[in-house]
Amino acid sequence: DTAVSQTPKYLVTQMGNDKSIKCEQNLGHDTMYWYKQDSKKFLKIMFSYNNKELIINETVPNRFSPKSPDKAHLNLHINSLELGDSAVYFCASSQGFGRAGTDTQYFGPGTRLTVL
Amino acid sequence: AQSVTQLDSQVPVFEEAPVELRCNYSSSVSVYLFWYVQYPNQGLQLLLKYLSGSTLVESINGFEAEFNKSQTSFHLRKPSVHISDTAEYFCAVSDYGGATNKLIFGTGTLLAVQP
């Protein structure tokens, strides 16, 4: 059983399109995250939700909109895709109810987005 | 603002040799420290973390890291590496006493183990 799963694994699309990436965790965690990993492997947090509430919202273009229908799912919708959005996007989850800052985060396998 | 520096982007090493991957952090507050590993084409996995107590922390696969507050470092070591240890290793920090589990990652070090 996959703990944190993402779909699709690969996404190739044209500039200007709108696309979504889905994430699901079956660990019973309260907190979920979206990270962007660029071509140099640098990993940066984008968003975090705790029990469907947005708790981290980094400086990300408003073309990116996370949606959490329930605490097991956190989807990422991207409007008007640009070349610079090409990256690997990772979803992660953590317990979210211990002391803040101490959680182990469990990562999904990633979605490689290529914008042409 | 916090930051993490991993000076070595790539560390080549022969199998069964010892290795050290360096990590330094900058923070105006106390931090928690983590090492995550990313095997090829996979997501990250926690290797070990320092929260409090003993400054030496160990993982189940033979890695260890030592928190050094005076040098603001959290270097990762293994006395004898295997081919299967080839991966990207990321050091990360989070706020002690912060409100979230936000992690700040370093730029990663590729450990390339050669036969």
Side-chain angles (χ1 to χ4, degrees):
Chain A
D1 283 345
T2 305
V4 182
S5 59
Q6 297 178 226
T7 54
K9 190 169 175 64
Y10 299 96
L11 187 52
V12 181
T13 189
Q14 300 286 332
M15 269 197 311
N17 283 351
D18 304 337
K19 290 293 178 185
S20 291
I21 306 171
K22 295 185 176 181
C23 178
E24 176 181 2
Q25 55 94 4
N26 62 6
L27 297 168
H29 288 165
D30 284 355
T31 304
M32 296 185 73
Y33 312 80
W34 276 111
Y35 286 89
K36 179 181 180 181
Q37 187 176 48
D38 64 22
S39 58
K40 295 183 179 177
K41 299 269 185 165
F42 181 60
L43 199 67
K44 191 173 189 308
I45 190 164
M46 301 172 69
F47 303 103
S48 177
Y49 271 73
N50 182 271
N51 266 320
K52 300 194 298 175
E53 179 186 351
L54 182 66
I55 57 170
I56 296 175
N57 186 356
E58 292 294 291
T59 307
V60 175
N62 57 15
R63 300 182 293 104
F64 291 79
S65 53
K67 285 187 172 53
S68 181
D70 55 62
K71 74 174 191 177
H73 295 84
L74 180 61
N75 303 324
L76 183 65
H77 188 76
I78 316 170
N79 289 326
S80 304
L81 278 155
E82 300 178 356
L83 292 176
D85 298 332
S86 294
V88 181
Y89 291 84
F90 286 100
C91 176
S93 74
S94 71
Q95 285 186 328
F97 50 81
R99 175 181 256 184
T102 65
D103 272 7
T104 294
Q105 295 187 20
Y106 295 81
F107 284 76
T111 295
R112 183 174 294 274
L113 171 64
T114 302
V115 182
L116 304 175
Chain B
Q2 296 170 325
S3 65
V4 177
T5 302
Q6 292 181 250
L7 284 174
D8 305 308
S9 60
Q10 187 168 347
V11 174
V13 63
F14 288 107
E15 196 172 17
E16 297 183 8
V19 72
E20 178 180 83
L21 306 183
R22 296 180 293 169
C23 172
N24 289 88
Y25 69 92
S26 173
S27 177
S28 58
V29 298
S30 295
V31 295
Y32 299 117
L33 293 154
F34 303 78
W35 275 100
Y36 279 82
V37 58
Q38 184 178 25
Y39 296 104
N41 299 313
Q42 293 185 28
L44 281 73
Q45 306 170 31
L46 180 73
L47 192 59
L48 46 77
K49 62 183 177 182
Y50 170 76
L51 302 181
S52 64
S54 171
T55 57
L56 185 66
V57 290
E58 298 176 352
S59 72
I60 58 173
N61 58 353
F63 283 92
E64 64 179 30
E66 185 157 21
F67 170 54
N68 187 319
K69 188 174 182 179
S70 62
Q71 297 186 6
T72 59
S73 67
F74 192 54
H75 301 330
L76 182 70
R77 302 183 184 94
K78 189 170 185 180
S80 175
V81 295
H82 302 289
I83 294 284
S84 59
D85 292 324
T86 294
E88 193 86 28
Y89 290 79
F90 292 92
C91 184
V93 301
S94 67
D95 262 353
Y96 179 96
T100 71
N101 286 296
K102 178 180 173 180
L103 284 175
I104 306 296
F105 283 92
T107 49
T109 298
L110 175 61
L111 176 61
V113 182
Q114 305 163 26

